[in-house]
Amino acid sequence: MSYVTITTWEIADGVDYHISLRAIEEKRLPALKGFGASRITVIRTSERTSAAITVWPDKATRDAAELKIDEVRRSVHTEDKTRMTGEMKGEIVADV
């Protein structure tokens, strides 16, 4: 069964959202795909916040990528000027 993570993010005060998004698109999203994610959707939720919905083939794939994801988050934090504000994860139990 597919597995999903939903993370919420906030960009630093005074940072242009589009510049931050470009860094995310260039580094974070390709890294997640490279770790096995099937799909990543980024939603702008306010002037300074976003949510990322990442779909994985299964929990095992996401679990195997955990350490690599943490490394990417730490390494690009200074480039895209974001901080993670929350995370939820779990198996998809219904989908239409």
Side-chain angles (χ1 to χ4, degrees), residues 29-81:
L29 303 185
L32 290 171
K33 288 291 270 185
F35 301 154
S38 310
R39 179 180 176 153
I40 305 119
T41 303
V42 178
I43 302 151
R44 187 171 188 176
T45 56
S46 78
E47 288 299 312
R48 293 182 36 225
T49 61
S50 295
I53 302 167
T54 307
V55 179
W56 301 87
D58 51 43
K59 185 178 185 308
T61 303
R62 171 53 172 83
D63 288 351
E66 183 85 31
L67 291 175
K68 295 180 217 167
I69 290 168
D70 289 341
E71 286 176 28
V72 170
R73 285 177 180 164
R74 281 191 304 275
S75 70
V76 300
H77 170 73
T78 56
E79 295 173 32
D80 61 27
K81 307 296 185 209

Side-chain angles (χ1 to χ4, degrees), residues 3 12-15 19 21 23 28-30 34-35 42 50 58 62 65-66 79 81 83 85 91 93:
Y3 193 78
D13 221 4
V15 174
I19 291 171
L21 181 61
R28 288 187 192 232
L29 303 185
F35 301 154
V42 178
S50 295
D58 51 43
R62 171 53 172 83
E66 183 85 31
E79 295 173 32
K81 307 296 185 209
R83 69 177 185 92
T85 58
E91 286 187 332
V93 294

